[in-house]
Amino acid sequence: MQRRHVVQYGAAGVGAVALMLGVGWWRVDGPGAPKPAGQRPLPLSAMDFRLTDHEGNKVGPETLIGRPTMVFFGFTYCPEVCPTTLSDISGWLEDLGDDAARMNVVFITVDPERDTAEAMAEYVGYFHPAIRGWTGPEDQISRAVEAFRASYERVPTEGGDYTMNHTASVFLFDAKGELVTMIDYHEPREFAVPKIRRALTEDVEGAT
């Protein structure tokens, strides 16, 4: 079973050491990685799921309403997409400076069998402190994925192990819980950060 990656981020967004082998890379990180489902995610206010954050607090979509939100689906044994994206997100948050404190940033596992709250706490600890890890029962994870119009599936690998095939985009919502846009995997920082600032600007305008 793969060990979790120890990832440090910096101002330049340090990437993770990857284990890109065989079908695991193809299905999760390469040309076989899934695209978003093609439908617009529901507003956060219309979603209904119950999860637990990495500190053991009960959370759900209502937890996110009131501040702009970034959501990313993945898992702690992810070989490349997840540590790379969380490093990217960490860099974006550094660029935002004090404005980063105005955002919710959530990493939701698609592998609750292995990703307990304790495992999520260890994993998100390697990234920006604003990032929260959410986990929970399989049925509630499925409800969350469906509401975001994302996708995931379990993919067997050699030796009886498995990896997870999952949507790799970051979902960006405004403070009212409406989708602003999505940030693609490996999207350059000069495009990603203005999208986030747009969500923050809509938050300010909505408050006036």
Side-chain angles (χ1 to χ4, degrees), residues 24-98:
W25 174 79
W26 179 270
R27 294 293 186 89
V28 179
D29 299 322
K35 302 294 183 184
Q39 295 176 295
R40 185 178 179 85
L42 297 177
L44 294 175
S45 59
M47 297 184 185
D48 182 17
F49 57 85
R50 296 291 174 264
L51 298 175
T52 302
D53 73 10
H54 69 267
E55 293 181 335
N57 302 303
K58 299 302 181 184
V59 291
E62 69 281 354
T63 308
L64 305 176
I65 297 174
R67 296 200 294 175
T69 295
M70 278 191 284
V71 175
F72 174 67
F73 289 92
F75 61 115
T76 66
Y77 283 78
C78 182
E80 176 69 6
V81 167
C82 304
T84 298
T85 299
L86 291 171
S87 292
D88 286 345
I89 291 172
S90 296
W92 304 339
L93 293 170
E94 290 288 344
D95 281 359
L96 292 176
D98 292 342

